[in-house]
Amino acid sequence: MKRIISIILSITMLISISAGVSSEALAKTNGASFHSAALITKKKTSKSLHSIHIMRAVKNVKPTCTEKGYTLYQCYLCSYTNKKYTSAPLGHKEVTVKGTPATCTEDGLSDGSVCSVCNKVLQKQKKLPALDHDWECEIAKATPVADGKIYNYCTRCDEHFETVIARPFQYNVNVSSTTYTGSEIRPSVTVYDSDGALIHSDDYELSYRDNINVGTGKIIITFTGESYEGTKEISFTIKEKPQGTTTEVFTNAPSIVSLTKSGRKVTVKFSTKMPMTKYRIQYSGNKVFNGPGTSLITKTVSMNQKYGTATFTPALTCGNTIYVRVCAMYPAGGFTKWSIVKSIKL
């Protein structure tokens, strides 16, 4: 049937051309379109059974963000198709995708953008690393009558925590040098907080009054530094100098013989200084013996016992270094100097 129609159209086109009617005009009758790629010839093309294509519009395609719009034409007589572009691409319609800011503990995202028509990502959102906390602190200093407090807070978020500063509590006067001499008596003082930890001598200053003649002398302890404030007055006795006798003063500190560990337990072995039978063992996670992990224990040994031992479990995690020192307590009160510090890794 198509062959018959092709022959009829070819004859019609030859008559029309002879009569002065163009092939395009004939093809455009009844809404058809003429395709000039295969004009009427005496020889048929190898791909079709007819000499010309009589085209009709079969599909209108709208433009997209990136593609042109066009009309698709197809030949009445065969499967040949052709496109006629009718409009330019529309282009993307960009809209912003709002990001999320990073916080102290969570990552964020930067702003991005997409096309509101085709949803194509135009600008990819980027990861914003977490900021970490920005710590600041406010200190309420400890006094001889009240604990202090360190209030730590993050300037970016609501994270906060508090640390207690234990108040000065125990004042030990070195009474080995309080015998009358005719000059000022200025005994040293060791101060411990209410948790039993040593307060460093840099955190207070000593002044004296009524400290020459036999009787009661006064020591005024003025607390300074970032963690302490206030004053404390304590008394000591200036004794008469004995007549015809000598006073033995024990100044030598005990020494640490060995420092061993078993699991998380630490054992210290120390030499004794007779006739002193009470000893203090202090241990800490730092060389200045203050802060977390600092503690003090007391050990009593028998008279004439050459060595003493003490075992303790530090409140520190494995891998940390523990520092240890020992001093002896005078029978009449006060302490010797500290031993040389030794350390061991947990």
Side-chain angles (χ1 to χ4, degrees):
M1 182 65 184
K2 286 184 178 181
R3 181 175 179 82
I4 295 172
I5 293 173
S6 176
I7 294 171
I8 293 172
L9 286 173
S10 297
I11 295 171
T12 304
M13 292 298 294
L14 288 172
I15 295 172
S16 298
I17 292 170
S18 300
V21 179
S22 69
S23 58
E24 288 90 342
L26 179 64
K28 288 179 180 178
T29 59
N30 298 321
S33 171
F34 173 76
H35 178 69
S36 61
L39 296 175
I40 299 173
T41 61
K42 293 181 180 180
K43 294 181 180 181
K44 297 185 179 70
T45 63
S46 60
K47 294 183 180 181
S48 65
L49 300 176
H50 48 279
S51 300
I52 63 171
H53 294 295
I54 307 300
M55 310 297 284
R56 62 172 178 172
V58 295
K59 185 178 182 181
N60 287 318
V61 178
K62 295 181 179 180
T64 67
C65 296
T66 56
E67 301 290 338
K68 298 176 181 179
Y70 62 89
T71 299
L72 180 67
Y73 293 92
Q74 184 176 357
C75 178
Y76 275 104
L77 305 176
C78 67
S79 60
Y80 177 82
T81 60
N82 187 29
K83 292 180 181 178
K84 181 178 180 181
Y85 291 102
T86 57
S87 58
L90 299 175
H92 293 298
K93 291 186 178 180
E94 185 175 2
V95 293
T96 298
V97 178
K98 194 67 177 175
T100 54
T103 67
C104 294
T105 56
E106 295 183 357
D107 296 335
L109 286 175
S110 66
D111 288 349
S113 64
V114 298
C115 176
S116 63
V117 177
C118 67
N119 294 322
K120 179 183 175 76
V121 176
L122 304 179
Q123 182 176 352
K124 188 177 180 180
Q125 291 179 287
K126 296 180 180 179
K127 177 182 175 181
L128 303 175
L131 302 174
D132 293 332
H133 292 299
D134 181 24
W135 292 111
E136 290 191 7
C137 69
E138 296 176 357
I139 300 176
K141 297 181 180 182
T143 71
V145 295
D147 290 338
K149 182 188 298 183
I150 302 175
Y151 178 72
N152 302 274
Y153 63 94
C154 177
T155 60
R156 295 193 183 102
C157 68
D158 295 330
E159 191 71 19
H160 66 277
F161 65 93
E162 295 180 354
T163 304
V164 174
I165 305 172
R167 68 184 180 90
F169 180 75
Q170 183 178 345
Y171 308 88
N172 295 335
V173 179
N174 183 359
V175 298
S176 63
S177 59
T178 57
T179 301
Y180 173 78
T181 63
S183 301
E184 279 191 295
I185 305 298
R186 301 171 66 88
S188 62
V189 179
T190 305
V191 183
Y192 297 90
D193 64 24
S194 57
D195 290 336
L198 176 70
I199 296 178
H200 199 277
S201 58
D202 289 344
D203 289 324
Y204 57 87
E205 297 173 351
L206 303 178
S207 58
Y208 303 84
R209 63 184 176 87
D210 303 330
N211 62 328
I212 297 178
N213 298 319
V214 173
T216 301
K218 303 292 184 182
I219 305 175
I220 298 90
I221 306 171
T222 303
F223 291 95
T224 59
E226 295 182 353
S227 301
Y228 304 95
E229 64 182 2
T231 59
K232 175 71 174 180
E233 184 177 290
I234 59 176
S235 301
F236 68 97
T237 300
I238 302 175
K239 298 173 289 187
E240 291 185 2
K241 185 176 181 180
Q243 299 296 321
T245 61
T246 59
T247 301
E248 184 179 4
V249 178
F250 303 99
T251 58
N252 294 332
S255 61
I256 296 176
V257 177
S258 65
L259 198 61
T260 58
K261 67 173 182 176
S262 177
R264 294 191 66 249
K265 291 185 177 182
V266 176
T267 299
V268 55
K269 181 179 180 182
F270 55 92
S271 64
T272 60
K273 294 289 182 180
M274 292 297 115
M276 292 173 282
T277 59
K278 289 187 178 181
Y279 295 81
R280 275 192 166 182
I281 298 94
Q282 188 176 35
Y283 56 91
S284 178
N286 58 68
K287 294 180 180 180
V288 294
F289 293 87
N290 61 16
T294 301
S295 189
L296 214 103
I297 59 176
T298 301
K299 180 70 175 180
T300 301
V301 301
S302 301
M303 185 67 72
N304 298 322
Q305 185 175 334
K306 190 174 180 180
Y307 299 102
T309 59
T311 301
F312 54 90
T313 303
L316 296 171
T317 58
C318 291
N320 287 323
T321 298
I322 190 78
Y323 299 87
V324 184
R325 61 184 181 180
V326 181
C327 72
M329 302 173 66
Y330 293 110
F335 302 88
T336 66
K337 294 181 180 179
W338 287 106
S339 67
I340 295 174
V341 176
K342 289 197 174 182
S343 63
I344 190 170
K345 193 170 184 180
L346 297 178

